[in-house]
Amino acid sequence: MAKEKYVCNKCGKHTPFVQEVENLPDGVERHYAGCQSCGYQSTIFYIDSEIKSLMYQQKNTAFGTKKKERLTKQIQGLMDDLKQKIESKGENDENK
Ligand SMILES: [Zn+2]
C-alpha cells in the first residue's frame, strides 16, 4: 500500500504523511505532520482531555445514531475553539 502524502503548506512539495504528537501545557496535544523536504510542521488538530473523552465516547457509539452525530458535532466545535484559542495567542500564522 502506498504511503499517504500531502502537499506542504510551506514549500509546496509532496511529502509522506506521518502524524506526530507534541504535548502542550494543560494536557493539550498538538497533532501535526512534518514535511520531509523543509521540516515545516503542519498542524492537523489540537485535542485536550475533554475532547479525548468525547472521542472515546463517540468511538463506542453505534454508527448512524443521533448520539454519534451529536458527539461528532460537539467534538468538531471544541476542536475549532481550542485551535483558535491556541493559535490566537501564538505567532502561528500557518493557516493564513
Ligand atoms: Zn515543506
Side-chain angles (χ1 to χ4, degrees):
M1 208 170 85
K3 236 186 192 167
E4 203 184 332
K5 290 196 169 190
Y6 74 102
V7 177
C8 173
N9 285 340
K10 186 113 177 167
C11 67
K13 287 185 181 142
H14 284 80
T15 184
F17 183 83
V18 182
Q19 190 170 332
E20 298 187 71
V21 183
E22 180 191 4
N23 290 303
L24 301 177
D26 305 322
V28 175
E29 288 178 9
R30 173 180 172 248
H31 290 244
Y32 66 93
C35 174
Q36 287 196 347
S37 298
C38 70
Y40 181 76
Q41 296 176 351
S42 303
T43 302
I44 308 161
F45 56 79
Y46 297 94
I47 55 172
D48 61 12
S49 51
E50 187 189 1
I51 298 172
K52 234 192 248 180
S53 81
L54 286 170
M55 283 171 106
Y56 183 78
Q57 280 182 53
Q58 190 224 35
K59 218 174 87 181
N60 289 294
T61 305
F63 270 108
T65 57
K66 283 262 181 273
K67 191 184 172 194
K68 184 127 182 157
E69 230 172 84
R70 187 167 49 81
L71 284 167
T72 305
K73 274 194 189 135
Q74 199 181 352
I75 290 165
Q76 198 57 57
L78 286 168
M79 277 181 164
D80 288 348
D81 287 353
L82 186 63
K83 188 173 189 228
Q84 277 194 347
K85 205 170 87 185
I86 292 167
E87 296 192 345
S88 63
K89 64 180 171 190
E91 59 269 274
N92 200 330
D93 62 355
E94 70 188 48
N95 290 308
K96 278 186 188 149

